[in-house]
Amino acid sequence: MTRFTLLTAASAFALVGCNAPSETEATPAPDTDAPAAATPIAGMVAAANPDAVEAGLAALRAGGDAVDAAIAVQTVLSLVEPQSSGIGGGAFMVHYEADTGEVSVYNGRERAPMSADEDLFINPETGAPYPYVQAWRSGLSTGAPGAIAMLHMAHAEHGALEWSENFNFAIDLADTGFEVAPRLSNISQRMAGFTDMEESGAAARYLFDENGEAWPVGHVLTNPDYADSLRLIAQDWRNFYEGDLAEAIVATVNEAPRPGYLTVEDLANYEPEKVSALCSPYRGYQICSAPPPASGGVAVGAILGMLETFDMSAHGPETADGWTLFIEASRLAYADRDHYVGDTAFVDVPVEGLLDRDYLAARAGLIDPAQAIPAVTHGTPPGADEQPEDATDDRPGTSHFVIMDADGDVVSMTTTVESPFGSGRMVGGFFLNNQLTDFSFIARDEEGRLLPNAVQPGKRPRSSMSPTIVLDSDGAFELATGSPGGNSIIAYTAKSLVGMLDWGLSPIEAASLPNVVARGDTVNIEEGFDEALMAELRDRGFTIQGGRGENSGIHIIRELEDGTLIGAADPRRDGIAAQP
């Protein structure tokens, strides 16, 4: 396994302009109440909020496995980080089973209502697409949520605790109250401009005080409605998809203005999927992630496949050459991802061709480290049919967490309600997703051809989510990573992998590196990036937007040769990595 030699955490954070947090290793703090002979429980949880991490750790201490802990983490994130994910949204889970070495993907992506069509986001009065904010803050944007059904499917196959036990932590926290975290307070205040206090009803009353101000950091907030919803779901997961709660969800989606099309039948008929992980080779490792409609497995695999033709270890993060190679591989991979990826139940996606080693080597041949490619276009991978040009407007959001249990099973899960607070509509104490805005608002090109990511009944919108598990050359677990961030997820996740596998960085150093996102002809670079390097990249012909607030939320667990676990929580969010 790779040894960490290049940067210290402090030097990595100097590039980003942040204070370095400590890295978590596999030596739990002593439990003063435990008997002297007690053996520490193995495992680790890294997530975007300390309460969610503690919920996962509590599940592990109780004898739960990684899936039990994932249920506990998700249900708490829905409470304490509702701007990013929740039970009203969807998720992709990558699961590694230590006994068999199997890597599986559970697909809980939302589905479009069966009555939705390609004109879903077309204003009937103008014949043009709704402005994004109007589409987002509406019932039109909500698809049938998949997170609960997906978690139940995974639990039925792997869970060690009773289904209901995994909800107790979140129920207690919702009843007794939790302290508002900095990011929740900050984003709530920023959302005030998008929130009509009267129109938003329950959401506005929950997020703001009587003066319309966001609750300050540390304010204790309770959510008894959410606790009641979780009690129903704990009794029977179908209570989310049938009965009173399901009817309340549908009624909320169908409220004015711009009511949606979700029906009780759409909820009752929702089914998650289990598929094999999409794995691609990289320098002796296997990089495993979710296949379409998630685009991370394709795009991250393509970035790494192109970079494998270069000696990245000789061009570290302190060099313009290293970032040039990363930028150009990202641009080429994004171009292919944008052009070809959609829901494979509706679109022929040339997955094997996009990851074909010869094809990627040819794409890498377009890269000149001394000069930017003037204009990047998609390629023609083996097996590809001609497709119209993509018109999807991806937006940031989401949360990511990673878990290892005492048996060595691992979950890497990316979960989302899409934009901040989803559609802005709240029911049963949780927010409903606006995931359908991940579809292209324009369905056809000038020749009338349907776009791969156009709205269709029952279709899952394309996702950028990239939950990743890496196996070593023996097929054993090496690391788990992933990030939120809209279409930038792909670049964030790829950066963390290059940082650890090529540049010899520890998990916290890799997460803390400046984010560099190159999609199309513009490169977005995070504030704090070295100015001299940025100037050199501009000299090479890149159009740089510097000082960007690239808001990743990378969480990582890595296992060393001696079995030691090292975890990292992205300093840009509120999370931690910890052990039982």
Side-chain angles (χ1 to χ4, degrees):
M1 300 192 181
T2 305
R3 295 296 179 186
F4 308 135
T5 58
L6 189 59
L7 290 181
T8 65
S11 60
F13 270 78
L15 285 174
V16 184
C18 301
N19 294 319
S22 60
E23 189 159 54
T24 301
E25 294 194 10
T27 307
D31 182 356
T32 55
D33 296 324
T39 301
I41 299 171
M44 180 173 278
V45 179
N49 183 280
D51 287 328
V53 171
E54 180 54 34
L57 295 177
L60 297 181
R61 294 188 200 107
D65 76 344
V67 172
D68 293 307
I71 297 166
V73 169
Q74 175 64 97
T75 51
V76 171
L77 285 176
S78 186
L79 174 69
V80 302
E81 198 196 30
Q83 71 274 14
S84 297
S85 75
I87 64 173
F92 288 95
M93 174 195 288
V94 182
H95 182 272
Y96 168 76
E97 189 170 17
D99 285 346
T100 65
E102 181 183 9
V103 186
S104 303
V105 174
Y106 293 90
N107 175 358
R109 184 68 161 163
E110 298 88 341
R111 302 187 85 116
M114 293 306 295
S115 56
D117 60 25
E118 62 187 62
D119 292 329
L120 178 67
F121 293 116
I122 301 299
N123 186 336
E125 296 180 1
T126 65
Y130 284 107
Y132 179 80
V133 172
Q134 290 185 19
W136 157 30
R137 309 289 283 184
S138 77
L140 296 170
S141 66
T142 299
I148 289 294
M150 183 207 75
L151 288 168
H152 183 267
M153 174 182 275
H155 180 267
E157 296 187 359
H158 301 287
L161 301 176
E162 291 295 326
W163 167 257
S164 60
E165 290 183 62
N166 297 310
F167 293 81
N168 291 337
F169 194 104
I171 290 170
D172 289 345
L173 198 62
D175 277 334
T176 60
F178 64 95
E179 292 188 2
V180 171
R183 194 163 181 272
L184 173 56
S185 179
N186 178 266
I187 293 181
S188 296
Q189 193 58 53
R190 285 163 49 195
M191 290 301 298
F194 294 99
T195 304
D196 183 301
M197 298 296 289
E198 182 175 345
E199 179 184 299
S200 298
R205 291 191 296 274
Y206 184 65
L207 294 175
F208 307 108
D209 65 18
E210 63 275 9
N211 298 317
E213 295 293 325
W215 298 115
V217 175
H219 173 80
V220 176
L221 192 60
T222 61
N223 192 336
D225 290 343
Y226 183 61
D228 289 342
S229 293
L230 291 187
R231 289 186 182 97
L232 283 173
I233 299 165
Q235 292 169 7
D236 185 344
W237 72 279
R238 293 297 313 175
N239 286 336
F240 185 90
Y241 293 93
E242 298 173 357
D244 292 345
L245 182 55
E247 291 175 4
I249 291 170
V250 169
T252 302
V253 169
N254 285 278
E255 290 175 356
R258 299 175 296 284
Y261 293 95
L262 192 71
T263 67
V264 291
E265 290 78 17
D266 290 319
L267 285 179
N269 293 330
Y270 180 88
E271 292 184 0
E273 296 177 347
K274 179 187 177 184
V275 297
S276 296
L278 178 59
C279 298
S280 54
Y282 188 62
R283 307 194 197 281
Y285 298 98
Q286 287 291 319
I287 314 298
C288 299
S289 190
S295 59
V298 171
V300 172
I303 291 171
L304 297 179
M306 284 181 265
L307 292 180
E308 193 166 23
T309 66
F310 301 94
D311 183 4
M312 289 297 290
S313 64
H315 306 291
E318 75 284 358
T319 69
D321 283 352
W323 288 113
T324 295
L325 295 172
F326 183 82
I327 287 167
E328 294 291 53
S330 297
R331 293 175 71 202
L332 291 164
Y334 269 112
D336 281 352
R337 170 262 191 189
D338 292 352
H339 191 72
Y340 291 108
V341 178
D343 185 346
T344 52
F346 294 80
V347 180
D348 290 328
V349 181
V351 174
E352 291 186 8
L354 288 166
L355 294 173
D356 181 83
R357 311 317 287 172
D358 292 337
Y359 173 70
L360 292 176
R363 293 287 274 170
L366 301 173
I367 299 175
D368 177 0
Q371 184 64 41
I373 301 171
V376 167
T377 60
H378 67 84
T380 306
D385 295 326
E386 181 59 31
Q387 298 278 10
E389 292 298 325
D390 180 67
T392 305
D393 183 13
D394 292 290
R395 299 282 173 153
T398 312
S399 195
H400 181 82
F401 59 85
V402 288
I403 300 167
M404 176 185 273
D405 65 25
D407 294 327
D409 292 355
V410 180
V411 160
S412 181
M413 180 167 152
T414 312
T415 172
T416 186
V417 287
E418 183 56 8
S419 295
F421 304 103
S423 66
R425 298 189 178 194
M426 196 175 191
V427 60
F430 57 89
F431 285 89
L432 296 172
N433 70 85
N434 67 301
Q435 211 62 253
L436 301 188
T437 58
D438 267 357
F439 283 119
S440 173
F441 285 21
I442 300 172
R444 297 180 182 272
D445 69 1
E446 294 180 354
E447 298 178 25
R449 297 177 298 177
L450 195 67
L451 275 60
N453 196 36
V455 181
Q456 292 177 264
K459 190 176 184 179
R460 301 178 194 266
R462 184 181 70 201
S463 169
S464 300
M465 291 191 275
S466 309
T468 301
I469 289 177
V470 178
L471 308 181
D472 67 15
S473 58
D474 296 322
F477 173 75
E478 174 78 19
L479 66 90
T481 186
S483 179
N487 67 72
S488 297
I489 288 172
I490 292 162
Y492 298 157
T493 303
K495 177 205 76 171
S496 72
L497 291 166
V498 170
M500 287 183 283
L501 302 181
D502 285 319
W503 292 341
L505 305 184
S506 71
I508 192 60
E509 291 168 346
S512 304
L513 279 176
N515 287 315
V516 176
V517 182
R519 182 184 182 215
D521 295 331
T522 302
V523 183
N524 295 329
I525 295 183
E526 189 174 24
E527 184 177 359
F529 190 82
D530 185 88
E531 292 291 338
L533 286 180
M534 198 180 304
E536 191 167 349
L537 292 173
R538 286 194 172 99
D539 289 342
R540 296 183 185 196
F542 292 109
T543 300
I544 305 289
Q545 286 191 21
R548 299 276 298 184
E550 291 293 342
N551 193 17
S552 58
I554 301 167
H555 291 94
I556 300 169
I557 294 174
R558 188 166 193 180
E559 185 172 8
L560 303 185
E561 289 178 352
D562 63 0
T564 298
L565 300 181
I566 298 181
D570 197 315
R572 300 164 185 84
R573 297 209 177 191
D574 300 321
I576 60 171
Q579 293 192 263

